[in-house]
């Protein structure tokens, strides 16, 4: 959420910057509310000036023995009008906050301007897509042939967009989660947390999923509890309505959770396989920083996610999202895209974002430095999406005989060097 006084006083320049995102709803409503508020405040100030003058005149007339009943009645009506205008301003301020809750974050000045993902800017690349002397298979074919992935039975159990892993398929997913957590906690300085997988509406508002993205979420019937769409939600809300010690910043946390998304806006996209699921597993990294630290911390956050792919030997590229492709709450985002031979394309496997104070203001997360208190900056990124990493390993390291070579970094976790078809 935006700072209301700042948004009001810098409205035109903010509108100009937000326009780089594309059409943004709520700005005309904000302008109208501001116009009404200014009119109410102006009338209040005029009435108060007139009230002071009238009160002084009544006092003068009383001293002269004049009848002031009519003028006192006029003063009473003026006071009632001022009280009504004050209530109107309070009501308008509440409406302002409601409107602001639906207005996206302001893109950072370093974000490339563009309309869609076609305008994203590649900033670096690691490895080259594998060249096969055979036609590589997609994971939705290779997984069932290996006996490690079963989409048909998953659909029988839960419907479309769910996966059932068998044997080494299940163990590979678990190995990936453990490997990611170990690297981030032992080498990258993160503290592991295991948060609840159900969260309240207040938590989802704090990180920006509510009210705007309600249709993308799964809610428990009759309860104010929602399945987490990402660990970003419970981990960021750990410090909701708290003031942190400036000396403790930056705070770096990481967590494994399953994630649940309705994918309401993704009809027809990635319908095959396990690229886009209603349930998937992910390791998330979350940071709380001082404002002046946050963009340096975004670079290290992104590098931490990239390091997982480097150690697994998976080709990837990192792109800076353009203004038109930014998420609702993000001021700047890097997407890391892994190469998938079965789709002959790069696919997002991590999104690393700096939200600046946007989430902290919604969630009430501050830090104290001396007598000064201000909002922290929050950052988060996948480190990584386990299911998509599973896909990348199966597709990139497949062999002509139908086996999949296990990356060396994972062998201590999996206890196998090769995944072979089950006989």
């Amino acid at each position: 959420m935006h700072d209301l006084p700042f948004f009001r006083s810098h409205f035109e320049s903010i509108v100009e910057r937000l326009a780089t995102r594309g059409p943004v709803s709520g700005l005309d409503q904000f302008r109208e509310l501001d116009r009404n508020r200014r009119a109410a405040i102006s009338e209040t100030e005029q009435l108060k000036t007139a009230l002071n003058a009238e009160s002084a005149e009544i006092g003068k007339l009383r001293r002269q023995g004049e009848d002031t009943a009519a003028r006192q009645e006029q003063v009473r009506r003026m006071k009632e009008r001022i009280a009504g205008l004050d209530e109107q301003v309070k009501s308008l301020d509440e409406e302002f906050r409601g409107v602001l809750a639906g207005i996206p974050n302001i893109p950072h000045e370093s974000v490339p301007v563009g309309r869609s993902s076609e305008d994203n800017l590649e900033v670096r690349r690691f490895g080259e897509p594998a060249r096969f002397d055979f036609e590589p298979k997609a994971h939705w074919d290779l997984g069932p042939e290996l006996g490690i992935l079963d989409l048909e039975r998953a659909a029988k159990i839960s419907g479309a967009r769910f996966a059932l892993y068998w044997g080494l398929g299940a163990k590979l997913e678990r190995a990936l989660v453990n490997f990611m957590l170990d690297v981030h906690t032992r080498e990258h300085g993160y503290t592991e947390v295991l948060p609840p997988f159900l969260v309240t509406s207040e938590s989802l508002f704090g990180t920006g999923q509510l009210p705007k993205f309600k249709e993308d979420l799964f809610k428990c019937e009759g309860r104010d509890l929602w399945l987490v769409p990402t660990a970003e939600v419970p981990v960021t809300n750990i410090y909701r309505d708290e003031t942190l010690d400036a000396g403790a910043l930056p705070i770096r946390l990481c967590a494994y959770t399953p994630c649940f998304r309705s994918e309401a806006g993704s009809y027809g996209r990635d319908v095959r396989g396990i690229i886009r699921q209603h349930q998937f597993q992910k390791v998330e990294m979350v940071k709380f920083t001082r404002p002046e630290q946050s963009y340096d911390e975004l670079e290290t956050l992104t590098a931490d996610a990239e390091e997982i792919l480097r150690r697994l030997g998976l080709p990837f590229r990192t792109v800076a999202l353009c203004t038109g492709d930014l998420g609702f709450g993000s001021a700047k985002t890097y997407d890391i895209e892994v190469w998938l031979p079965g789709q002959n394309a790069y696919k997002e496997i991590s999104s690393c974002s700096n939200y600046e104070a946007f989430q902290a203001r919604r969630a009430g997360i501050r830090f104290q430095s001396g007598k000064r208190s201000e909002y922290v900056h929050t950052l988060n990124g996948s480190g990584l999406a386990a299911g998509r990493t599973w896909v990348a390993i199966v597709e990139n390291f497949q062999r002509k005989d139908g086996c999949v070579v296990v990356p060396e970094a994972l062998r201590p976790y999996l206890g196998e060097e090769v995944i072979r078809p089950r006989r």
Side-chain angles (χ1 to χ4, degrees):
M1 185 178 286
H2 301 280
D3 176 67
L4 179 55
F6 181 85
F7 200 92
R8 185 183 287 133
S9 60
H10 297 82
F11 183 74
E12 295 304 330
S13 61
I14 289 172
V15 168
E16 183 178 344
R17 188 62 188 163
L18 285 174
T20 64
R21 279 179 167 270
V24 174
S25 61
L27 295 176
D28 289 340
Q29 185 181 357
F30 187 97
R31 185 181 278 109
E32 181 63 23
L33 287 172
D34 194 43
R35 188 180 296 115
N36 294 339
R37 182 181 183 276
R38 289 177 188 274
I41 290 174
S42 177
E43 184 180 349
T44 298
E45 290 173 348
Q46 292 173 16
L47 282 170
K48 286 179 178 178
T49 299
L51 178 63
N52 290 335
E54 189 66 14
S55 296
E57 183 63 21
I58 288 172
K60 179 180 176 182
L61 291 172
R62 277 183 167 179
R63 288 191 294 272
Q64 295 173 355
E66 299 283 341
D67 181 9
T68 61
R71 303 190 79 147
Q72 284 180 302
E73 175 61 22
Q74 183 178 356
V75 165
R76 185 186 66 78
R77 290 196 298 269
M78 291 170 69
K79 288 181 177 179
E80 287 181 349
R81 176 60 179 164
I82 289 170
L85 288 169
D86 286 343
E87 286 300 314
Q88 183 181 340
V89 170
K90 288 181 182 178
S91 176
L92 287 169
D93 281 342
E94 284 302 311
E95 287 189 64
F96 270 125
R97 292 183 180 90
V99 171
L100 282 180
I103 294 176
N105 206 351
I106 304 165
H108 188 261
E109 59 187 13
S110 66
V111 175
V113 175
R115 295 185 176 183
S116 70
S117 59
E118 298 297 320
D119 300 314
N120 292 343
L121 178 66
E122 184 175 317
V123 294
R124 57 186 161 268
R125 186 179 290 229
F126 171 81
E128 292 295 329
R131 295 182 179 180
F132 298 92
D133 58 1
F134 60 95
E135 186 66 29
K137 295 179 179 179
H139 68 280
W140 55 75
D141 291 323
L142 192 55
E145 290 175 7
L146 285 165
I148 60 175
L149 180 66
D150 193 333
L151 299 176
E152 291 184 5
R153 286 192 174 96
K156 178 178 68 175
I157 298 167
S158 304
R161 293 190 187 272
F162 288 92
L164 171 65
Y165 298 92
W166 284 99
L168 286 178
K171 194 173 182 181
L172 175 59
E173 183 100 352
R174 177 161 53 91
L176 283 166
V177 169
N178 288 334
F179 168 66
M180 294 169 188
L181 289 172
D182 283 348
V183 172
H184 293 319
T185 57
R186 294 174 182 175
E187 301 181 38
H188 294 161
Y190 294 82
T191 298
E192 182 179 352
V193 296
L194 183 61
F197 301 163
L198 292 168
V199 293
T200 63
S201 297
E202 189 175 3
S203 293
L204 286 160
F205 178 84
T207 46
Q209 281 79 14
L210 284 180
K212 189 174 180 65
F213 301 105
K214 180 179 179 181
E215 295 304 313
D216 288 326
L217 305 171
F218 286 108
K219 189 175 191 300
C220 297
E221 187 174 357
R223 303 283 299 277
D224 182 28
L225 286 173
W226 308 70
L227 295 173
V228 294
T230 165
E232 163 198 341
V233 179
V235 176
T236 302
N237 278 277
I238 288 173
Y239 296 114
R240 190 177 74 231
D241 297 326
E242 293 187 27
T243 299
L244 306 172
D245 181 3
L249 301 177
I251 295 172
R252 303 180 180 96
L253 306 178
C254 69
Y256 153 79
T257 65
C259 305
F260 304 90
R261 300 181 186 177
S262 71
E263 298 291 350
S266 64
Y267 180 78
R269 295 174 59 193
D270 298 316
V271 294
R272 299 195 68 184
I274 60 173
I275 295 296
R276 195 174 297 276
Q277 297 277 282
H278 289 315
Q279 175 189 325
F280 58 97
Q281 286 63 244
K282 185 155 65 80
V283 171
E284 187 79 1
M285 304 174 292
V286 176
K287 293 185 178 185
F288 304 84
T289 79
R290 293 170 177 255
E292 66 271 18
Q293 297 172 318
S294 66
Y295 279 95
D296 287 339
E297 290 293 333
L298 176 61
E299 297 300 323
T300 59
L301 179 84
T302 307
D304 292 341
E306 292 172 339
E307 180 63 17
I308 299 297
L309 293 173
R310 290 177 187 274
R311 295 196 185 192
L312 294 174
L314 292 168
F316 68 87
R317 67 179 184 181
T318 301
V319 298
L321 298 195
C322 72
T323 52
D325 201 30
L326 277 181
F328 173 74
S330 174
K332 184 173 183 176
T333 295
Y334 291 112
D335 269 6
I336 305 171
E337 301 174 344
V338 69
W339 176 256
L340 299 182
Q343 283 98 91
N344 195 37
Y346 285 98
K347 291 285 186 178
E348 178 203 331
I349 198 167
S350 175
S351 191
C352 300
S353 300
N354 186 353
Y355 286 75
E356 296 186 354
F358 190 84
Q359 290 181 328
R361 191 171 286 111
R362 297 170 77 103
I365 308 172
R366 296 175 173 270
F367 73 94
Q368 187 83 30
S369 180
K371 294 182 179 180
R372 186 168 58 96
S373 171
E374 61 181 295
Y375 290 106
V376 301
H377 280 195
T378 63
L379 302 88
N380 61 67
S382 304
L384 304 162
R388 293 191 179 190
T389 311
W390 189 100
V391 169
I393 288 170
V394 169
E395 292 194 1
N396 277 280
F397 301 133
Q398 60 182 295
R399 299 193 315 203
K400 191 173 184 177
D401 63 2
C403 297
V404 171
V405 177
V406 177
E408 189 171 343
L410 283 183
R411 292 175 187 175
Y413 294 87
L414 198 63
E416 301 285 347
E417 295 185 6
V418 178
I419 300 174
R420 304 179 189 279
R422 288 196 309 184
R423 302 301 181 190

